[in-house]
Amino acid sequence: MSEENNNLGDDLKKGAEDALDSAKDAAKKAGDKAGEFADDAKEAVSDFAEDAKETADEFVDGVKDAFNTESKDNKKVLAGILAIVLGWAGVHKFILGYQKEGFILLGITLISIPLVCLAIGAFTMYLPGLIGLIEGIIYLTKSDEEFYQTYQVGKKPWF
C-alpha cells in the first residue's frame, strides 16, 4: 500500500505540476491578450483624439468663416439688409464699426418717441428710418470692392 500511496502521490504531484504549468500558460496567454487589448485601446483612443481634434479644428474654421467680419460680401449684404430693416436703430452702423453714428441714429429715434406728442417728434421719428433705407440701398447697389474701399477701408460714415 505504501507503494500505491507513493504512486498515487507521484501522480497527484505530477497532476498538480501539470495544472500549475497549464495555469501559468493560461495566465501568460491572458496577460499577452490583455497587453494586446490595452495596446489596441490606446491606439483607438489616440485615433479618436486625433479625429476629434481634426473635427474641432474644422468646426472652428467653419465658424470663423461664417462670422468673418473682414469678409467683403458678408459685411456688405448684412449691413445693407440691416440698414433697410433696422436702420432706425443704427444697427448697420455698429456692424461697420461706426459706433458714434450708430448711437446718433438710435438716440434720435429714442428721443423722438416721447416727442411724438409734439409736432417735432413726428418729423424726427422718421429721419433715422429714412437714413437707414437710403444707406441700405446705397450699400447693396455698390460693387463689393467699392463698398469695401469706401466703408471699411475709407471709413466713410454717412451715405
Side-chain angles (χ1 to χ4, degrees):
M1 209 170 258
S2 156
E3 198 173 304
E4 269 181 37
N5 285 340
N6 276 343
N7 285 342
L8 185 60
D10 289 341
D11 287 344
L12 286 175
K13 189 177 181 181
K14 185 174 177 168
E17 287 174 357
D18 289 344
L20 184 61
D21 289 341
S22 294
K24 285 180 182 178
D25 288 343
K28 185 177 181 328
K29 286 180 184 177
D32 292 344
K33 288 289 184 183
E36 289 175 18
F37 179 76
D39 291 342
D40 290 346
K42 285 178 185 176
E43 186 177 326
V45 167
S46 176
D47 290 345
F48 178 77
E50 288 174 18
D51 290 346
K53 185 176 187 313
E54 185 177 312
T55 302
D57 290 342
E58 289 173 4
F59 178 76
V60 168
D61 290 343
V63 168
K64 284 180 182 176
D65 288 343
F67 293 106
N68 186 1
T69 57
E70 296 301 318
S71 176
K72 298 174 193 175
D73 290 338
N74 288 346
K75 202 168 242 194
K76 173 189 153 185
V77 173
L78 180 65
I81 291 172
L82 287 176
I84 291 171
V85 177
L86 297 172
W88 56 268
V91 174
H92 61 292
K93 296 294 188 182
F94 293 112
I95 294 294
L96 292 174
Y98 305 130
Q99 280 75 21
K100 181 175 77 172
E101 290 81 3
F103 282 121
I104 289 171
L105 289 175
L106 184 60
I108 291 171
T109 301
L110 293 176
I111 290 172
S112 297
I113 291 172
L115 293 177
V116 168
C117 298
L118 306 173
I120 195 163
F123 173 71
T124 58
M125 181 172 251
Y126 297 107
L127 272 176
L130 184 62
I131 291 170
L133 177 66
I134 293 168
E135 286 185 337
I137 292 170
I138 291 171
Y139 293 168
L140 294 174
T141 56
K142 286 189 178 284
S143 69
D144 293 343
E145 187 60 35
E146 187 179 9
F147 175 84
Y148 181 74
Q149 289 299 326
T150 304
Y151 297 105
Q152 290 180 263
V153 174
K155 295 289 186 185
K156 182 180 176 188
W158 298 103
F159 301 103

